[in-house]
């Protein structure tokens, strides 16, 4: 992904808010290419201007949270933003192979950890339900392997619009859905293959049972705090109203330290960093659950291992979009810092990755699966679609090297095969984890 803004790289001029010149002085950050005309006065922009006038400049994290998930005007809450007609497209929408290989990964891990009697598949931010649907198709095809396992699906979704689309994708509403807006489980149904599926707004409401978690392009939309290193130390990047244009937003630097600065590492060498406390909370919750009840978490997203600086950007109509222009009409995102996720696991569980999507999918056997599908396909248009999807997923210049996979597993998963010790009582050898090494069936 290309960067839209380079906040902090080129301070333009000192500026202060007229209402509070001493408190809110700071340097002005460019939000990207300066528009010729003013930002459209969207309902979200009007809401933010009123908020800033009332309480002062807001953090980038607060801005992201309002723009994306505000219950009334939030970008994610009342629209379907996925697919060719939306603002962005994800791997599961590009090729069925992606979800199928993730389904194989979860079955492989379930087998490697003793084939538990229960199998909760929990997806964070399920999009249209396409990924879960592809995974469930694999489960059905390998029904003989899972026949004695009690499988259930648990979807964590804040968008009412998307939850309805997910329900249609997964259940086709052959069995009427149960709805209770006041309950932590606000919707229940049964998938086309007869598996129970439940919807939640918060991960903490999902039952703490033996679970396998998947988060695909979920962490990149969680709110980030942005910081710039200055001669006076770290200063948080805030969002304020431009004093020259009353309905235009701009970046400024806080005049003194802010509470979120506590999340910056003492030995940080970059001059600009983004931190996501909410991601840390979720990783800690996942880690504690996996350590307590077993299972694993697989995270797929674009990101870095603690090396990038300013990655905050917007997407609208599949094109980069200035993050401060027409808020509420475009997706906002920032690269995931996998080194931060690793730290937040705090040793409670083991972690693997990040590794490039190209490597992960190749290890999972994407080439073999593509060949099988091509051999079965007689329609030229379908063959072309399969090849184009493969290229999008694997090409280093497309998704192949921009997306990464990262896993959380119980420590014992990496230290030994499931209680396998040979006759000489030698130290058991580690069991390979599919995707992070070549897939092997045992």
């Amino acid at each position: 992904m290309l960067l839209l803004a380079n906040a902090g790289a080129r301070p333009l001029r000192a500026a202060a808010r007229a209402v509070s010149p001493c408190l809110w002085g700071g340097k002005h950050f460019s939000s990207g290419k300066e528009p010729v005309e003013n930002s459209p006065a969207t309902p979200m922009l009007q809401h933010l201007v009123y908020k800033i006038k009332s309480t002062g400049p807001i953090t980038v994290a607060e801005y992201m949270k309002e723009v994306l998930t505000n219950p009334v005007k939030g970008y994610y809450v009342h629209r379907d933003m996925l697919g060719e007609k939306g603002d962005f497209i994800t791997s599961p929408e590009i090729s069925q192979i992606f979800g199928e290989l993730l389904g194989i990964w979860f079955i492989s891990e379930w087998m490697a950890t003793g084939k538990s009697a229960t199998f909760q598949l929990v997806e964070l931010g399920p999009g249209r339900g396409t990924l879960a649907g592809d995974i469930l198709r694999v489960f059905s095809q390998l029904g003989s392997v899972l026949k004695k396992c009690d499988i259930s699906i648990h979807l964590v979704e804040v968008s009412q619009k998307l939850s309805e689309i997910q329900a249609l994708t997964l259940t086709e509403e052959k069995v009427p859905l149960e709805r209770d807006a006041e309950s932590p489980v606000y919707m229940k149904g049964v998938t086309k293959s007869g598996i129970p599926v439940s919807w939640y707004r918060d991960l903490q409401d999902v039952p703490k049972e033996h679970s396998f978690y998947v988060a695909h392009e979920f962490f990149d939309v969680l709110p980030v705090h942005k910081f710039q290193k200055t001669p006076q130390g770290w200063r948080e990047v805030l969002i304020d109203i431009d004093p020259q244009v009353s309905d235009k937003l701009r970046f400024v630097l806080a005049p003194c330290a802010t509470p979120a600065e506590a999340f910056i590492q003492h030995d940080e060498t970059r001059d600009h960093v983004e931190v996501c406390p909410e991601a840390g909370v979720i990783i800690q919750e996942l880690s504690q659950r996996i350590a307590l009840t077993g299972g694993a978490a697989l995270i797929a997203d674009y990101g870095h291992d603690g090396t990038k600086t300013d990655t905050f950007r917007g997407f609208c109509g599949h094109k980069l979009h200035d993050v401060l222009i027409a808020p509420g009409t475009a997706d906002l995102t920032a690269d995931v810092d996998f080194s931060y996720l690793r730290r937040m696991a705090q040793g409670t569980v083991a972690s693997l990755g990040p590794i490039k999507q190209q490597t992960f999918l190749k290890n999972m056997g994407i080439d073999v699966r593509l060949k099988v599908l091509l051999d079965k396909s007689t329609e030229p248009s379908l063959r072309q679609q399969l090849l184009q999807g493969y290229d999008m997923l694997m090409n280093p210049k497309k998704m192949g090297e921009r997306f990464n996979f990262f896993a959380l597993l119980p420590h014992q998963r990496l230290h030994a095969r499931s209680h396998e010790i040979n006759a000489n009582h030698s130290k058991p050898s580690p069991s390979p984890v599919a995707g992070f090494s070549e897939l092997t069936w045992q």
Side-chain angles (χ1 to χ4, degrees):
M1 295 291 180
L2 300 174
L3 298 185
L4 173 63
N6 191 19
R10 188 167 56 91
L12 300 180
R13 59 182 175 83
R17 287 203 57 204
V19 294
S20 187
C22 297
L23 183 59
W24 294 114
K27 292 184 177 178
H28 172 73
F29 282 75
S30 169
S31 63
K33 185 178 179 182
E34 295 298 328
V36 176
E37 56 190 39
N38 293 343
S39 168
T42 62
M44 176 56 70
L45 177 61
Q46 294 171 341
H47 166 70
L48 290 167
V49 167
Y50 178 79
K51 182 181 182 71
I52 293 170
K53 284 181 176 178
S54 300
T55 62
I58 59 176
T59 65
V60 173
E62 189 173 0
Y63 178 79
M64 287 183 72
K65 189 169 185 177
E66 283 291 322
V67 171
L68 297 179
T69 60
N70 179 285
V72 178
K73 306 178 181 72
Y75 172 79
Y76 281 124
V77 176
H78 300 294
R79 70 173 72 200
D80 175 14
M81 70 297 296
L82 293 160
E84 292 183 6
K85 296 181 179 179
D87 295 320
F88 58 92
I89 192 166
T90 61
S91 295
E93 307 289 337
I94 291 170
S95 174
Q96 70 180 74
I97 301 176
F98 183 87
E100 291 172 348
L101 295 180
L102 266 59
I104 294 293
W105 190 89
F106 286 114
I107 293 176
S108 172
E109 279 307 295
W110 173 76
M111 294 174 67
T113 53
K115 301 181 181 179
S116 66
T118 59
F119 188 127
Q120 285 194 167
L121 178 66
V122 182
E123 184 174 4
L124 309 181
R128 284 178 167 174
T130 306
L131 177 57
D134 289 339
I135 292 173
L136 286 176
R137 187 171 60 254
V138 172
F139 286 5
S140 294
Q141 292 168 347
L142 295 176
S144 60
V145 178
L146 296 163
K147 61 183 178 182
K148 294 183 180 180
C149 186
D150 182 16
I151 301 173
S152 57
I153 309 301
H154 305 263
L155 305 178
V156 180
E157 178 60 74
V158 298
S159 168
Q160 186 62 41
K161 175 70 173 179
L162 287 178
S163 67
E164 295 292 341
I165 295 173
Q166 294 153 16
L168 190 60
T169 300
L170 297 174
T171 73
E172 293 183 350
E173 299 194 358
K174 291 183 177 180
V175 178
L177 294 165
E178 297 179 31
R179 291 180 171 85
D180 184 352
E182 302 303 317
S183 171
V185 189
Y186 66 86
M187 197 160 65
K188 290 182 180 180
V190 179
T191 71
K192 291 172 280 188
S193 55
I195 295 174
V197 54
S198 303
W199 280 263
Y200 313 78
R201 296 182 185 86
D202 196 307
L203 172 61
Q204 292 189 356
D205 293 324
V206 177
K208 292 185 178 180
E209 304 289 345
H210 190 84
S211 301
F212 292 89
Y213 304 87
V214 59
H216 178 261
E217 287 200 56
F218 170 78
F219 282 91
D220 65 275
V221 298
L222 297 181
V224 297
H225 291 266
K226 292 173 67 66
F227 293 90
Q228 177 71 29
K229 187 176 285 185
T230 74
Q232 292 76 40
W234 289 104
R235 292 294 180 264
E236 184 161 9
V237 179
L238 304 174
I239 292 173
D240 195 6
I241 303 166
D242 191 322
Q244 308 299 322
V245 185
S246 62
D247 60 353
K248 181 181 176 183
L249 301 175
R250 61 168 186 168
F251 289 117
V252 297
L253 281 181
C256 54
T258 53
E261 186 182 323
F263 291 98
I264 301 176
Q265 291 289 99
H266 295 299
D267 57 353
E268 181 59 67
T269 58
R270 290 170 289 175
D271 62 4
H272 190 101
V273 295
E274 296 165 338
V275 293
C276 183
E278 193 169 329
V281 170
I282 293 171
I283 288 294
Q284 288 175 353
E285 174 73 12
L286 290 173
S287 299
Q288 290 164 6
R289 285 168 170 255
I290 292 168
L292 180 66
T293 62
L298 186 63
I299 297 166
D301 227 313
Y302 46 83
H304 58 92
D305 207 12
T307 56
K308 291 187 178 181
T309 54
D310 174 30
T311 70
F312 182 39
R313 57 199 182 275
F315 286 97
C316 184
H318 300 275
K319 295 180 180 179
L320 284 168
H321 177 89
D322 191 309
V323 294
L324 298 186
I325 298 296
T329 65
D331 187 31
L332 301 179
T333 178
D335 280 16
V336 177
D337 183 347
F338 290 103
S339 69
Y340 174 72
L341 301 192
R342 192 184 302 114
R343 287 199 308 274
M344 290 300 100
Q346 296 178 334
T348 305
V349 292
S351 64
L352 290 176
I355 66 168
K356 300 301 182 184
Q357 175 168 292
Q358 180 189 45
T359 303
F360 181 90
L361 296 180
K362 195 168 190 67
N363 285 340
M364 288 300 302
I366 189 173
D367 295 325
V368 175
R369 180 58 179 157
L370 175 67
K371 185 177 186 305
V372 169
L373 291 174
L374 288 174
D375 289 344
K376 289 183 176 180
S377 174
T378 56
E379 295 183 23
S381 60
L382 180 57
R383 291 174 63 87
Q384 183 181 17
Q385 182 182 349
L386 288 167
L387 290 169
Q388 288 176 342
Y390 175 90
D391 180 64
M392 181 65 76
L393 294 176
M394 298 293 284
N395 191 323
K397 295 181 180 179
K398 295 178 181 178
M399 289 181 165
E401 290 193 357
R402 292 179 179 179
F403 281 78
N404 295 271
F405 278 79
F406 181 83
L408 300 175
L409 308 115
H411 283 294
Q412 59 268 30
R413 169 67 183 90
L414 300 184
H415 293 159
R417 296 183 187 272
S418 301
H419 309 294
E420 291 181 15
I421 302 178
N422 65 26
N424 295 324
H425 300 284
S426 62
K427 185 177 179 180
S429 59
S431 177
V433 177
F436 298 88
S437 56
E438 287 192 29
L439 174 65
T440 56
W441 290 102
Q442 299 177 14

